[in-house]
Amino acid sequence: MYTAVIVVCCAPSSLLSEIADVIGDRKEVTADDVDKLKYTEQVIQEVLRMYPPASMMIKESPKGGVTLCSIYVPEGTPMSFVTSLMCRNPEYFNYPDTFDPSRFDAEKTCVGHRSCIGRHFAMIEAKVILANLQSDTASFIQAGGGTVEYPTTKGQYCLHSSGNCSLKQ
């Protein structure tokens, strides 16, 4: 969520507008509100694509082995997948370094049969948290117009905002 808050600070006003339009002056987010926060969900999905919480996964090759990039990997061999590289690969995403929540428009995406069972609950939780942060009467998050920099230099593993990211009290 820390990453999402940084991105929201620099997010397009359309995200903040959606939350304000759906929640209004109320302090509580309802189940109906969660269903209406479509753009908020797209923003969360794009944040997770660009800044995956699990930077690497280790799996075993399947029964019978597998051939990857013309290399045979025997059954049971541990294989590591760097998710942060996969999610920024132009082979899978057009303009992978561009923050574009519209790539997760419901009409364009699908989820396979091996989707995480807790995925839907986690999305509801994330939308409620972001909506609560923004819908506070003092407007907790104030858009600052900065950019979020992805760590690319050696030794950096944290995200940094290059502009203002103000949190009001």
Side-chain angles (χ1 to χ4, degrees):
M1 284 307 293
Y2 171 74
T3 304
V5 170
I6 289 177
V7 172
V8 168
C9 286
C10 305
S13 59
S14 50
L15 171 67
L16 307 179
S17 295
E18 179 188 69
I19 293 171
D21 291 345
V22 171
I23 308 301
D25 294 337
R26 290 180 288 116
K27 291 272 190 187
E28 294 181 3
V29 179
T30 68
D32 288 338
D33 295 336
V34 170
D35 290 337
K36 294 175 186 172
L37 295 171
K38 302 293 185 194
Y39 187 71
T40 302
E41 183 167 339
Q42 291 175 355
V43 167
I44 293 167
Q45 289 175 319
E46 180 69 344
V47 167
L48 291 172
R49 180 195 69 82
M50 291 187 77
Y51 312 104
S55 60
M56 185 171 67
M57 297 183 295
I58 299 176
K59 302 277 186 180
E60 286 188 1
S61 60
K63 287 184 178 181
V66 65
T67 301
L68 299 171
C69 301
S70 303
I71 299 172
Y72 176 73
V73 181
E75 175 181 329
T77 303
M79 301 183 304
S80 60
F81 301 91
V82 182
T83 53
S84 55
L85 294 177
M86 289 171 35
C87 292
R88 292 198 177 239
N89 187 333
E91 194 173 319
Y92 306 121
F93 295 97
N94 292 332
Y95 309 103
D97 293 326
T98 300
F99 185 79
D100 180 15
S102 69
R103 72 176 88 231
F104 289 100
D105 185 349
E107 296 174 8
K108 299 178 188 175
T109 59
C110 65
V111 177
H113 66 282
R114 293 184 183 229
S115 175
C116 173
I117 193 167
R119 178 183 166 277
H120 185 66
F121 176 73
M123 183 57 70
I124 290 171
E125 207 172 32
K127 289 192 317 190
V128 168
I129 290 169
L130 283 179
N132 279 330
L133 286 175
Q134 180 54 30
S135 67
D136 188 318
T137 54
S139 293
F140 184 72
I141 300 171
Q142 178 181 5
T147 59
V148 176
E149 296 177 0
Y150 187 72
T152 55
T153 59
K154 59 183 174 182
Q156 276 190 332
Y157 297 103
C158 296
L159 299 174
H160 305 279
S161 173
S162 67
N164 295 331
C165 190
S166 305
L167 299 180
K168 298 194 310 186
Q169 297 197 8

